[in-house]
Amino acid sequence: NAGVTQTPKFRVLKTGQSMTLLCAQDMNHEYMYWYRQDPGMGLRLIHYSVGEGTTAKGEVPDGYNVSRLKKQNFLLGLESAAPSQTSVYFCASSGQTNQPQHFGDGTRLSIL
Amino acid sequence: EDQVTQSPEALRLQEGESSSLNCSYTVSGLRGLFWYRQDPGKGPEFLFTLYSAGEEKEKERLKATLTKKESFLHITAPKPEDSATYLCAVQGYMDSNYQLIWGAGTKLIIKP
């Protein structure tokens, strides 16, 4: 029962470095989402996708890029990491917009 | 402004002591309200969806209810394994899109 799988689970970067977070889902869901979770705040949507080859901006998209080349994969990129991007990143997927989202276990990212 | 507020921020109960968590919201065109449970180091796990005022859902010791302004998550005779952070999210129609707005969560601690 894989569901949504995120890699890596932990990562430490230096300011200015780049990296890509990987998300894979095996539920054949159309919709995929990237969130960040910071202490004392609700989950905030970074980018989302409504299907293969599509992406759209969420609430806090600046400093991030995404790609959805295959239906089952959604990639989140940081081109030039900043300390403000230290956070826990969650990927989620859903069959339709008003259906529950299913989450991975997160990537804990620290930018020094 | 559309928003979701959860209270209290934290709640400590003795095992067997029943209580309720609150999720109040202001959103245009409510499409659904979602409750999730999040354990430390894990992603949110879906519990319930409520779509209209008056609706109720139950699962083991948890019962979720919905009015036009708020939702309650009632926990009856809780056990230590019910300790977790409980998240509420509301879906409304904003900026020509269906979007999910998340509360900051209630951290529930059940002491044996």
Side-chain angles (χ1 to χ4, degrees):
Chain A
N1 296 341
V4 178
T5 303
Q6 292 184 235
T7 53
K9 297 187 185 305
F10 303 92
R11 186 72 185 267
V12 178
L13 291 178
K14 294 182 180 179
T15 298
Q17 288 185 319
S18 63
M19 79 162 295
T20 301
L21 281 63
L22 311 179
C23 177
Q25 54 97 1
D26 62 2
M27 296 170 283
N28 200 35
H29 284 165
E30 290 292 337
Y31 294 79
M32 295 188 75
Y33 314 83
W34 276 107
Y35 290 94
R36 61 179 289 172
Q37 187 175 45
D38 299 294
M41 303 181 71
L43 288 161
R44 291 184 292 169
L45 184 64
I46 304 171
H47 286 281
Y48 64 100
S49 169
V50 301
E52 180 178 318
T54 74
T55 62
K57 293 180 180 180
E59 179 186 357
V60 289
D62 294 342
Y64 305 96
N65 55 77
V66 289
S67 64
R68 183 116 181 254
L69 298 180
K70 293 184 179 180
K71 186 176 182 178
Q72 64 268 33
N73 297 335
F74 196 28
L75 309 181
L76 177 70
L78 284 73
E79 291 186 346
S80 180
S84 61
Q85 294 177 305
T86 293
S87 187
V88 182
Y89 291 86
F90 286 101
C91 176
S93 70
S94 67
Q96 297 294 329
T97 55
N98 66 340
Q99 291 179 345
Q101 295 180 12
H102 299 265
F103 285 80
D105 281 337
T107 294
R108 283 141 190 87
L109 183 62
S110 293
I111 315 295
L112 304 178
Chain B
E1 181 184 348
D2 297 318
Q3 62 181 11
V4 176
T5 303
Q6 291 189 245
S7 61
E9 290 185 10
L11 182 61
R12 293 175 181 269
L13 300 172
Q14 288 292 140
E15 182 174 1
E17 181 184 1
S18 302
S19 188
S20 298
L21 313 181
N22 178 264
C23 172
S24 63
Y25 63 90
T26 54
V27 67
S28 306
L30 176 71
R31 263 194 117 198
L33 185 143
F34 302 84
W35 281 100
Y36 285 79
R37 169 192 171 124
Q38 186 174 22
D39 293 302
K42 298 291 187 181
E45 177 186 350
F46 170 71
L47 292 173
F48 304 109
T49 308
L50 301 168
Y51 291 107
S52 58
E55 189 174 359
E56 299 182 352
K57 294 273 180 75
E58 285 190 67
K59 179 180 179 181
E60 296 181 355
R61 295 175 293 281
L62 298 176
K63 179 180 178 180
T65 62
L66 180 65
T67 72
K68 289 185 178 180
K69 294 183 178 180
E70 58 191 350
S71 176
F72 290 95
L73 185 64
H74 306 277
I75 182 162
T76 302
K79 298 181 178 182
E81 54 262 41
D82 294 320
S83 297
T85 296
Y86 290 85
L87 304 176
C88 168
V90 173
Q91 187 171 49
Y93 192 72
M94 294 158 281
D95 298 329
S96 304
N97 237 326
Y98 291 107
Q99 296 186 18
L100 210 56
I101 302 174
W102 292 81
T106 293
K107 184 175 183 179
L108 179 65
I109 300 170
I110 308 300
K111 297 174 288 184

